[in-house]
Amino acid sequence: MLSPIPTLSEASNSHLLASAKVGDRILAVTIPKAAEKLYRLMNLGQIIQSHTLSFFHLSALDLLLGIDRG
């Protein structure tokens, strides 16, 4: 049974960053430049991880073995 609150493994990094940004806006918190850079770095890291996972699990075998091999 899934828990009502997503854990780190269930929620993507993008969702966690989005919720942190919304919380910052609701509380009217001024974010330091270093935190903005960290948000951006974490988002870019998630994009790299997502694309790497997609490549190795979905595309790599077709490229290595050929599309016609099943």
Side-chain angles (χ1 to χ4, degrees):
M1 183 172 174
L2 292 175
S3 64
I5 300 173
T7 61
L8 190 58
S9 63
E10 294 171 359
S12 73
N13 211 12
S14 300
H15 291 104
L16 296 173
L17 289 173
S19 65
K21 287 183 177 185
V22 168
D24 294 339
R25 287 183 183 169
I26 289 172
L27 298 173
V29 177
T30 303
I31 307 297
K33 289 289 183 187
E36 289 180 15
K37 289 179 181 179
L38 185 59
Y39 282 168
R40 182 79 175 140
L41 185 62
M42 289 175 65
N43 191 27
L44 292 173
Q46 197 274 331
I47 291 170
I48 291 169
Q49 183 269 341
S50 174
H51 283 76
T52 304
L53 182 72
S54 173
F55 174 75
F56 283 108
H57 283 275
L58 300 176
S59 305
L61 288 177
D62 288 339
L63 293 173
L64 294 174
L65 301 176
I67 295 175
D68 296 333
R69 287 187 73 158

